[in-house]
Amino acid sequence: MNPSLHADAVATLGAWRPADRTQESLRQAYLGFLAAREDACLRSCEPGHITASALVVDASGERVLLTLHPRVGRWLQLGGHCEASDTTLAGAALREATEESGIADLRISPEPVHLDVHPITCSLGKPTRHFDVRFLVRAPLDARPLRSAESLDLAWWPATALPPDTDDLHPLLTAARVER
């Protein structure tokens, strides 16, 4: 892992001021985790690891791009594990969004919009936790996504009519100020 990614995660979360108490509590927990674990950004960190994701919205701000995740079996925002080449959390989220959407010229807001910790069995093959840092990403006008091998499906959804079993995305949409 690039040591600057860990430093960027600390700096990014240290500077971010979430809008509500729940997110502030999570921010403090993330900072504590980062202080305790130099390997917090590595997927090999078994207690859990920092991940970076992107809520990709179209140019109008009315639709969100979701992926049907093969392992989870649900529609989710784009994103995933940080890689050795990543130097910033925003860069990791943008890389993931670009790889998973096939859309060039995405624009990312450099400040997180939402945090979420969730249990998962990922590539380690063992139960762990993802400490997900979520960013808002805007697609260019007339962007056409191209599904990658990391997805069962990829589709634009109206923010007001998300697919079933996506209630956990509503706090992210609200935090990103995407109207639903």
Side-chain angles (χ1 to χ4, degrees):
M1 177 198 67
N2 191 323
S4 65
L5 179 60
H6 188 279
D8 176 76
V10 171
T12 298
L13 293 170
W16 181 52
R17 296 297 175 255
D20 67 57
R21 292 174 126 173
T22 302
Q23 287 291 290
E24 175 58 22
S25 178
L26 276 176
R27 184 183 79 89
Q28 293 296 331
Y30 278 45
L31 288 169
F33 182 64
L34 285 159
R37 303 288 307 223
E38 282 296 317
D39 63 346
C41 296
L42 296 174
R43 75 172 73 198
S44 60
C45 183
E46 286 188 25
H49 36 272
I50 302 289
T51 55
S53 67
L55 179 65
V56 178
V57 299
D58 69 357
S60 72
E62 295 175 1
R63 297 181 306 160
V64 296
L65 186 62
L66 300 178
T67 180
L68 184 55
H69 194 281
R71 189 170 295 150
V72 179
R74 295 179 46 229
W75 290 96
L76 302 172
Q77 77 280 359
L78 308 181
H81 291 105
C82 298
E83 302 292 342
S85 59
D86 294 325
T87 57
T88 66
L89 285 177
L94 183 60
R95 176 189 50 75
E96 285 284 339
T98 302
E99 289 173 1
E100 293 180 9
S101 72
I103 300 173
D105 301 322
L106 294 171
R107 294 183 338 253
I108 190 165
S109 297
E111 190 173 277
V113 294
H114 192 256
L115 303 176
D116 183 71
V117 179
H118 48 272
I120 191 164
T121 300
C122 63
S123 56
L124 296 174
K126 300 176 186 177
T128 187
R129 291 172 294 172
H130 280 176
F131 293 84
D132 200 29
V133 181
R134 297 165 166 187
F135 295 84
L136 178 63
V137 173
R138 296 200 179 273
L141 191 63
D142 298 325
R144 302 223 188 306
L146 180 63
R147 184 181 63 82
S148 75
E150 296 180 44
S151 177
L152 295 175
D153 199 359
L154 185 68
W156 290 110
W157 292 88
T160 57
L162 295 180
D165 197 23
T166 56
D167 288 346
D168 58 334
L169 291 178
H170 293 294
L172 172 57
L173 291 172
T174 299
R177 294 185 175 93
V178 174
E179 297 301 320
R180 37 177 190 91

